[in-house]
Amino acid sequence: MNDSPAIDRLGIPAYNWWNECLHGVARAGRATVFPEPVGLAATWDPNLIFHMATAISDEARAKHNEFVRKGKRNIYQGLTFWTPNINLVRDPRWGRGMETYGEDPYLVGRMSVDFIKGLQGNDAKYLKVVATAKHFAVHSGPESSRHSFDAVVDESELFESYLPQFEAAIREGGVQSVMCAYNRVNGDPACANPRLEGDILRKQWGFSGYVVSDCGAIDDIFRGHKVVTSLAAAAARAVQAGTDLDCGNEYRSLEQAVEQKLITEAEIDTSVRRLLTARFRLGVFDPPERVPYSRIPYSVVESEAHQALALEAARKSIVLLKNEGGLLP
């Protein structure tokens, strides 16, 4: 689960997987704030996005280093960030449109690849932070019914519109985490969808990281979508489909699921292995002197260079339309 307790006998400290940095490190004290992603998309400048994400991950590492020095391992203090949101805006009434890079799969893909690379760094051994491409897949409203909605989409629309940016994030960006969505996709809940998570994500695209549920999405499999008859069955089905981490506490029922023979311990071990691999790649079990990102000083947070970059991004995000045809007021 996202709030993972310590395992003292193995020397594994407590860890909370939930963190946000959509346009700057969020919910962890002061940080440099960049324009919202829909504004960043208007820059048409992936290189700028890369430099912005590099600044964000510098601040993220600096904050984490300081938290660890003080013995703090709470929510919003880790290195696994649930961003970028690379869903398409197909209806301007969707309340989360500003979190995205707009409606075009190609532009969204270009922006996401550079954002992910800037976040995760370029060290041969260690990840700077973990980026998370979300929400997989076909998620863009309606907000009010997202916990029970079935997104019915044909094959051409699926592969031409809703999946290209995710494929780019994995094949080109090397993203290490994917968040599955609340909704169903052609009948199966996105977080318990063998075709999306198994066939497409892992077999076709070669994704080797871990999948995290949107918060409460495992409960939706049971209560919202009603495709199983118990929470234990929902948890088992999600893990078997490929959802390794639960944002929530629904995976407490996995013990019951094992007892009921709905899932095996070996199947759960697959997810545990993926999650611990991510923590190893972040260097959290190694001495800090071995991990280059552990040396990033706290002085980078809200530094003059980062503030100047935020101002540049804001200026480049401004769009002026010339009223040649008299279409505008």
Side-chain angles (χ1 to χ4, degrees), residues 61 75 161 224 251:
R61 264 288 177 172
I75 191 170
S161 295
Y251 276 5

Side-chain angles (χ1 to χ4, degrees), residues 51-68:
H51 289 296
M52 180 199 73
T54 300
I56 292 172
S57 56
D58 279 350
E59 296 194 9
R61 264 288 177 172
K63 285 176 176 290
H64 175 74
N65 296 342
E66 187 70 11
F67 286 132
V68 170

Side-chain angles (χ1 to χ4, degrees), residues 18 28 33 68 80 85 118 142 170 172 175 204 209 220 236 257 274 311:
W18 191 339
V33 178
V68 170
T80 46
N85 183 342
I170 290 153
E172 299 178 57
V175 74
Q204 293 184 31
D220 288 343
R274 290 169 182 160
L311 179 60

Side-chain angles (χ1 to χ4, degrees), residues 2-47:
N2 69 283
D3 192 1
S4 298
I7 307 174
D8 294 330
R9 66 183 177 85
L10 298 177
I12 298 176
Y15 185 74
N16 197 301
W17 296 80
W18 191 339
N19 234 320
E20 307 283 356
C21 67
L22 188 69
H23 56 119
V25 180
R27 301 175 176 175
R30 294 181 64 86
T32 305
V33 178
F34 294 87
E36 284 275 12
V38 75
L40 294 169
T43 68
W44 297 83
D45 191 344
N47 188 56

Side-chain angles (χ1 to χ4, degrees), residues 33-323:
V33 178
F34 294 87
E36 284 275 12
V38 75
L40 294 169
T43 68
W44 297 83
D45 191 344
N47 188 56
L48 173 67
I49 302 304
F50 172 80
H51 289 296
M52 180 199 73
T54 300
I56 292 172
S57 56
D58 279 350
E59 296 194 9
R61 264 288 177 172
K63 285 176 176 290
H64 175 74
N65 296 342
E66 187 70 11
F67 286 132
V68 170
R69 279 192 287 269
K70 294 180 179 179
K72 296 182 177 181
R73 301 180 183 275
N74 301 317
I75 191 170
Y76 312 133
Q77 296 177 350
L79 292 170
T80 46
F81 287 85
W82 294 350
T83 190
N85 183 342
I86 58 175
N87 294 128
L88 303 182
V89 182
R90 287 298 172 88
D91 188 328
R93 295 170 297 181
W94 182 36
R96 298 181 69 172
M98 83 295 290
E99 293 184 17
T100 78
Y101 296 111
E103 74 276 16
D104 179 70
Y106 180 76
L107 177 62
V108 174
R110 293 306 90 208
M111 294 298 188
S112 67
V113 165
D114 279 83
F115 187 90
I116 290 162
K117 287 182 176 180
L119 283 188
Q120 295 190 160
N122 58 3
D123 188 81
K125 182 176 182 180
Y126 294 107
L127 291 165
K128 196 176 185 184
V129 306
V130 168
T132 302
K134 66 182 188 185
H135 308 80
F136 191 65
V138 201
H139 174 77
S140 60
E143 203 77 1
S144 61
S145 59
R146 64 184 184 177
H147 300 285
S148 58
F149 178 69
D150 186 12
V152 178
V153 58
D154 62 34
E155 288 294 281
S156 61
E157 187 73 353
L158 182 65
F159 283 94
E160 292 172 11
S161 295
Y162 291 106
L163 295 186
Q165 64 274 29
F166 283 98
E167 183 175 8
I170 290 153
R171 290 187 185 273
E172 299 178 57
V175 74
Q176 292 300 302
S177 173
V178 169
M179 178 179 282
C180 52
Y182 287 120
N183 53 277
R184 279 172 285 159
V185 180
N186 293 336
D188 278 334
C191 290
N193 195 307
R195 188 189 182 207
L196 281 178
E197 297 184 291
D199 295 343
I200 295 174
L201 191 64
R202 295 194 181 278
K203 292 180 182 178
Q204 293 184 31
W205 297 346
F207 177 66
S208 60
Y210 64 88
V211 175
V212 56
S213 76
D214 208 340
C215 298
I218 305 304
D219 186 67
D220 288 343
I221 297 170
F222 168 43
R223 301 184 203 280
H225 300 300
K226 299 181 180 3
V227 298
V228 293
T229 57
S230 69
L231 195 54
R237 182 163 168 174
V239 172
Q240 288 164 338
T243 302
D244 307 297
L245 183 65
D246 168 26
C247 177
N249 55 26
E250 293 87 355
Y251 276 5
R252 284 183 180 149
S253 63
L254 281 173
E255 188 173 2
Q256 181 183 359
V258 171
E259 293 170 354
Q260 295 176 359
K261 301 189 184 306
L262 299 172
I263 192 170
T264 65
E265 287 191 44
E267 289 173 302
I268 297 172
D269 285 345
T270 297
S271 291
V272 174
R273 188 176 297 110
R274 290 169 182 160
L275 295 172
L276 284 174
T277 297
R279 293 178 69 178
F280 273 107
R281 293 196 62 197
L282 287 164
V284 298
F285 301 124
D286 291 347
E289 58 270 19
R290 291 188 190 174
V291 185
Y293 301 124
S294 296
R295 296 189 288 272
I296 297 175
Y298 199 81
S299 58
V300 301
V301 177
E302 283 196 302
S303 64
E304 288 187 8
H306 289 183
Q307 292 290 323
L309 184 61
L311 179 60
E312 178 188 357
R315 286 172 171 159
K316 288 188 174 181
S317 73
I318 295 169
V319 177
L320 298 179
L321 303 178
K322 191 172 183 180
N323 193 13

